[in-house]
Amino acid sequence: MENNRSSWGSNIGFLLAAIGSAVGLGNIWGFPYKMGKSGGFTFLIVYLLLAVFVGMIIMVSELAVGRKTKLSPIDAYQKVTKKFAWIGWLATVAPFLIMTFYSVLGGYCLQYIALNLTELSFGIGATGSEAFGAILTNPFGAVVFTALFMILCMVIVQGGVDSGIEKFNKIGMPALFVMLLIIIVRALTLPNAVDGLKFMFVPGYAVSAGYITEAPDLITVLGTAGGQMFFSLSLAMGAILTYGSYLGKEENLVKNSAIIVFADTLIALLAGIAVIPAAVANGLNNGLARGEIALGGPKLLFITLQDVFANMGKIGPLFGVIFYGLVLIAAISSAISLMETISAHWIDKDLQRGETDTRKRIVLIVSLLIMIPAALVAADGLGSSKFYPAALLGIQGGVPDFIADWLDFMDCWSEGIAMPLGAMLMALMIGWEMSPDLVLDEVAHGDPSEGFKKFYKFCVKFVVPIVMAFVLAGQMIGFFSGSPIIWYVISGILLVGFWIFAAVGNKKDAKVE
Ligand code: PFF
């Protein structure tokens, strides 16, 4: 089978594809706001420490397991572990769930590009809330644009690993970078833009200037930074493992991981420098109080920033097209990694049976299957419909996030539960069931130093599982209402339970030679 299995055309092609997977909506609407609200520069340091001690460890592990087995997540985990074989399913269902809302958001980007193009041609201005209100309450339009986004992604993934995914990223990533620089220059030359930079970088400024009322405590900051870092680096969702499975033996996994982490963080910071100053400047210049400016999530992208472009005069829609174009590239490059991860299992299965030409058909079926729940998320319009989860359950008022709308519901299961749990289980599996040497032997093709080996073993055995328990608790506190203590206790029980499960009767299960 291996001979017919896809592979990257070059290491740089792999790097751009992996950076493409990492750079997505999370970088643009998640990172800058969370950084500003959670301590500015201090948050950045916490984030980077977590990225090095936890993110890099999981990334190297995923790449190693993928490259060692040359299989997609379900089969790869079945090959390396008996006790945790089911993590592979977690790493296939989670990308499916993410795609159900990521494609809707991609569809919104398409609608905003169309809107700004029309404004450019006909000069009709629309404010952010008018535009978004119209989109959210038009279920048919949302479903159609979601389907369009899905078709774009489908065609790229059908093209194959090197001539579809790699090619797209080789053009898309440099283009995104240039577009981002254009937006940064425009944003920073707006009056009052400096206040946005202060919000992002100066510790405590978010509270003292009145952007938020209260700074989060340290544990919340840890949970926020950890959750953001995992989502942003596409970790514990099978995507990095799948991309690693197409990588050549001679490539250096440690160096590659470091480059991906660096590039993803750099783009997140640059995205922040583009969007936050623009949003803040526009808000302040139009008489909004600082606390009234939406600086994160869908509102930032689709209301605040559309207002920025609408207020820029004739040239505004041109910047709108460039901006939503770059967000679209970021969304596609992430979505195709999710689609590839889901499809790869069935493509591999067919290859094992000697059928080499089934990629196109499998990707089509996967796209159609995603489209069914995605249509529900699209038609729901972030809870504008009558059939959001809480309404179906007959619950009104004070609704916790995970049943507030279908997007949050899907996000809760994937980003909230599957991701931190998957990372925790993977670390316990590598650290305590098998041996970290299995990963280090694979990394050895890039010849890791003794120092890295010690660092890796310590982190995978202790640091990652413990940090992931905190991240899991943090995510649960965010999604569900109720006392935080309960979620710490549940996470702690899961951690201890799985730790014992992994360690008892260990190492006999390791099967990969
Ligand atoms: N990393 C992407 C973002 O920051 O938006 C989202 C993502 C893509 C998560 C692929 C997980 C994944 F497997």
Side-chain angles (χ1 to χ4, degrees):
M1 180 191 98
E2 282 192 11
N3 290 343
N4 289 318
R5 205 163 182 273
S6 310
S7 60
W8 302 107
S10 61
N11 193 51
I12 182 81
F14 157 74
L15 277 174
L16 287 170
I19 292 168
S21 171
V23 170
L25 296 170
N27 297 58
I28 299 165
W29 87 25
F31 183 87
Y33 179 58
K34 288 177 191 169
M35 177 168 159
K37 149 179 122 161
S38 316
F41 206 74
T42 342
F43 176 88
L44 182 61
I45 293 171
V46 174
Y47 182 92
L48 286 175
L49 285 175
L50 283 173
V52 171
F53 284 92
V54 183
M56 277 273 296
I57 299 299
I58 292 291
M59 186 165 291
V60 168
S61 311
E62 281 201 46
L63 289 175
V65 171
R67 185 169 74 175
K68 176 142 205 140
T69 57
K70 293 215 166 299
L71 290 168
S72 53
I74 295 173
D75 297 315
Y77 280 103
Q78 270 166 10
K79 197 158 177 183
V80 296
T81 161
K82 260 188 200 149
K83 291 179 187 168
F84 291 99
W86 44 278
I87 309 179
W89 280 100
L90 211 59
T92 306
V93 173
F96 184 91
L97 295 177
I98 296 189
M99 267 308 272
T100 64
F101 65 86
Y102 222 80
S103 54
V104 176
L105 300 168
Y108 291 165
C109 292
L110 284 172
Q111 297 207 57
Y112 274 83
I113 294 175
L115 172 78
N116 280 282
L117 276 175
T118 336
E119 288 184 353
L120 202 57
S121 325
F122 303 108
I124 330 153
T127 67
S129 25
E130 280 164 7
F132 206 36
I135 286 174
L136 292 183
T137 49
N138 176 4
F140 179 73
V143 173
V144 169
F145 279 95
T146 301
L148 265 178
F149 179 83
M150 287 289 284
I151 292 170
L152 282 176
C153 297
M154 183 185 79
V155 170
I156 296 168
V157 179
Q158 281 180 331
V161 173
D162 53 345
S163 28
I165 299 174
E166 186 170 343
K167 223 179 219 167
F168 174 82
N169 283 294
K170 270 186 165 165
I171 302 167
M173 284 303 108
L176 178 143
F177 193 71
V178 173
M179 290 153 100
L180 196 51
L181 292 184
I182 298 175
I183 300 292
I184 289 179
V185 172
R186 179 65 275 231
L188 291 183
T189 46
L190 291 169
N192 276 324
V194 174
D195 215 63
L197 290 179
K198 284 193 195 155
F199 167 82
M200 242 186 98
F201 289 98
V202 178
Y205 190 72
V207 181
S208 65
Y211 284 103
I212 54 168
T213 46
E214 209 183 323
D217 59 55
L218 189 67
I219 301 270
T220 313
V221 171
L222 252 181
T224 310
Q228 172 65 25
M229 187 264 296
F230 260 76
F231 186 75
S232 188
L233 290 173
S234 303
L235 293 174
M237 298 276 186
I240 295 296
L241 189 154
T242 307
Y243 275 13
S245 75
Y246 304 130
L247 194 59
K249 284 282 179 211
E250 61 291 352
E251 309 306 348
N252 187 326
L253 300 186
V254 181
K255 204 160 120 195
N256 274 347
S257 302
I259 294 174
I260 300 166
V261 172
F262 174 79
D264 184 63
T265 313
L266 178 74
I267 299 281
L269 281 170
L270 290 178
I273 297 175
V275 298
I276 301 283
V280 163
N282 187 64
L284 297 181
N285 298 342
N286 286 291
L288 286 186
R290 290 190 174 96
E292 288 171 343
I293 310 171
L295 293 175
K299 278 193 181 159
L300 165 76
L301 266 195
F302 301 121
I303 297 182
T304 315
L305 285 160
Q306 174 58 27
D307 280 339
V308 172
F309 304 123
N311 287 334
M312 260 182 202
K314 274 211 170 100
I315 195 81
L318 180 63
F319 285 106
V321 173
I322 297 175
F323 177 73
Y324 290 109
L326 88 83
V327 182
L328 178 69
I329 296 175
I332 293 179
S333 62
S334 297
I336 53 180
S337 72
L338 295 164
M339 213 181 238
E340 175 65 25
T341 305
I342 307 162
S343 311
H345 172 67
W346 285 276
I347 297 174
D348 277 352
K349 280 272 168 279
D350 277 351
L351 276 179
Q352 283 157 4
R353 275 189 238 111
E355 291 179 47
T356 52
D357 248 356
T358 53
R359 168 177 280 272
K360 282 201 168 71
R361 199 183 65 216
I362 290 169
V363 175
L364 171 69
I365 296 171
V366 165
S367 307
L368 289 172
L369 288 176
I370 297 169
M371 199 51 219
I372 300 168
L376 175 70
V377 177
D380 181 40
L382 299 181
S384 321
S385 73
K386 289 195 197 67
F387 51 85
Y388 60 95
L392 295 183
L393 294 167
I395 302 170
Q396 275 151 10
V399 174
D401 265 4
F402 83 108
I403 44 172
D405 56 61
W406 283 107
L407 190 153
D408 269 317
F409 182 80
M410 301 295 185
D411 192 25
C412 171
W413 289 105
S414 50
E415 190 186 349
I417 297 175
M419 183 200 68
L421 199 59
M424 183 205 282
L425 297 176
M426 182 182 201
L428 291 175
M429 170 196 103
I430 293 174
W432 300 91
E433 184 200 1
M434 339 178 320
S435 150
D437 288 326
L438 185 128
V439 167
L440 288 168
D441 286 348
E442 181 60 32
V443 174
H445 294 282
D447 206 11
S449 62
E450 279 309 309
F452 179 79
K453 286 185 184 169
K454 281 201 187 117
F455 171 72
Y456 178 84
K457 284 186 186 172
F458 177 71
C459 290
V460 85
K461 278 175 161 253
F462 302 102
V463 182
V464 180
I466 294 170
V467 170
M468 287 332 289
F470 276 107
V471 174
L472 180 64
Q475 295 279 28
M476 294 303 93
I477 293 163
F479 278 105
F480 301 90
S481 43
S483 152
I485 295 292
I486 295 173
W487 297 113
Y488 286 120
V489 172
I490 292 179
S491 292
I493 292 173
L494 284 173
L495 174 67
V496 174
F498 281 121
W499 206 317
I500 295 170
F501 177 66
V504 171
N506 59 357
K507 297 202 177 116
K508 289 179 209 97
D509 288 334
K511 281 198 294 180
V512 175
E513 290 80 41

